Amino acid sequence: MKRGRRPGPSTTREAILSAARERFSAVGYDRTRLRDVAGAAGVDVALVSYHFGSKEALFAAAMAMPVSMPSLIDDVLEQGELEDFAARLLRRILDVWDDERTGAPLVALVRSAMSHEPAADALRGFVRTEILDRIAARLGTPDAGERSVFFGSQLIGLLIYRHVLRIEPLASMDPDAIVAAMAPGMQHYLTGTRP
Amino acid sequence: MKRGRRPGPSTTREAILSAARERFSAVGYDRTRLRDVAGAAGVDVALVSYHFGSKEALFAAAMAMPVSMPSLIDDVLEQGELEDFAARLLRRILDVWDDERTGAPLVALVRSAMSHEPAADALRGFVRTEILDRIAARLGTPDAGERSVFFGSQLIGLLIYRHVLRIEPLASMDPDAIVAAMAPGMQHYLTGTRP
């Protein structure tokens, strides 16, 4: 004889996360609306907001992101001058990626986005909206979109060499040495004189 | 009634390529020896050399690489001064990746290396030995290994943003604009003053 169980909060949460993963993958980050996720999960949109708060938080939960990148970026932007933003952000991001607990899920996320087009679509919008646009808004220059994308490309390249492909000597280099060597060029992308 | 066909040169070639893919994936680029590939394919090592010439060429064929990266790098190193190597290499590499015929197989290779650990092992050794070490040898400084790996990380990040994740505005930016914006920083990694 089977015993029934009423769907509880954790079931609802899982249903929302599952619908969110599907939706982010199908139409990308930017075109995903909380109400559509709610509809697909068969719950009221208020429940989605109750459980996750925002689209960014829903995405982070759906993709098993261990750290809120937008909060981290805002934090670093607020805690010092724009002129040494690259060094401060790089240090914080290396801390997150170098720590096995927070780094492993991020490596998995990047791997998935590289190999599956739907995951790439989802990540593309998130990177654009929640990371690059956030930095660009702080720069406030007409070419801020280009500057932030140059910066972002060096950041992902570093993380892929260090943590996905694990190419030496970058894979085991001291974080301080990496920041010293790479932050100036990354900072130049953001605030340096352009040709 | 089935008709038999004697194994011809194309069958031998395929057997060697298949054994090579397996071997490169199993033990990585550096520890793969032509004689082991020959053994696994059931042919004499002279046949491997006859068909492919070198380990690098065998790897390129096995991974369906449309362009010989080592030859391209040697070419660029020989055709000008080290002081503007980054701009010249970046221009050539963008040409290769921006062209659908040569770019698509490279995107596929990077995708595969990102998602499958064996493919990552194979690519890691190739990048190290045939790309980074080649550049480092030309630099000839004690820190050349670090310099070339910083350079390489920016290169892969750019290519991934432009061609794998396709993040705007980098995905559709004019190649000249990319070279103008990114070559100076990449050149600095190779020959600039370090902190």
Side-chain angles (χ1 to χ4, degrees), chain B residues 6 77 94 101 119 143 152:
Chain B
R6 241 201 306 186
L77 281 172
L94 284 174
R101 283 171 311 143
D143 63 353

Side-chain angles (χ1 to χ4, degrees), chain A residues 111 114-115 117 124 127-128 149-150 152-154 156-157 160-161 164-169 180-182 189 195, chain B residues 111 114-115 117 124 127-128 145 149-150 152-154 156-157 160-161 164-169 180-182 189 195:
Chain A
R111 286 204 146 127
M114 292 294 161
S115 42
E117 192 58 36
R124 179 183 307 121
V127 166
R128 177 78 262 169
V149 89
F150 297 141
S153 76
Q154 171 62 95
I156 197 80
I160 282 171
Y161 254 47
V164 183
L165 293 179
R166 295 195 305 281
I167 294 181
E168 295 295 357
M182 306 189 82
Y189 283 144
Chain B
R111 286 205 145 124
M114 292 293 162
S115 43
E117 192 57 36
R124 178 182 308 120
V127 166
R128 179 75 263 168
V149 88
F150 297 142
S153 76
Q154 170 61 93
I156 197 80
I160 282 170
Y161 254 48
V164 183
L165 293 179
R166 295 195 306 282
I167 295 182
E168 296 292 356
M182 307 189 80
Y189 283 144

Side-chain angles (χ1 to χ4, degrees), chain A residues 24-46:
Chain A
F24 282 127
S25 296
V27 302
Y29 183 79
D30 293 323
R31 281 181 295 158
T32 295
R33 298 178 309 173
L34 292 190
R35 88 181 73 161
D36 299 332
V37 171
V43 303
D44 193 275
V45 67

Side-chain angles (χ1 to χ4, degrees), chain B residues 116-178:
Chain B
H116 307 290
E117 192 57 36
D121 291 341
L123 188 66
R124 178 182 308 120
F126 178 80
V127 166
R128 179 75 263 168
T129 307
E130 302 293 353
I131 299 179
L132 303 182
D133 285 354
R134 206 165 280 261
I135 296 172
R138 179 66 176 77
L139 296 178
T141 56
D143 63 353
E146 294 188 357
R147 287 177 178 273
S148 66
V149 88
F150 297 142
F151 176 87
S153 76
Q154 170 61 93
L155 186 58
I156 197 80
L158 160 62
L159 295 171
I160 282 170
Y161 254 48
R162 183 169 173 87
H163 286 291
V164 183
L165 293 179
R166 295 195 306 282
I167 295 182
E168 296 292 356
L170 205 45
S172 50
M173 195 179 290
D174 183 77
D176 288 334
I178 295 178

Side-chain angles (χ1 to χ4, degrees), chain B residues 1-7:
Chain B
M1 200 174 120
K2 283 167 91 181
R3 278 167 177 262
R5 194 167 74 96
R6 241 201 306 186

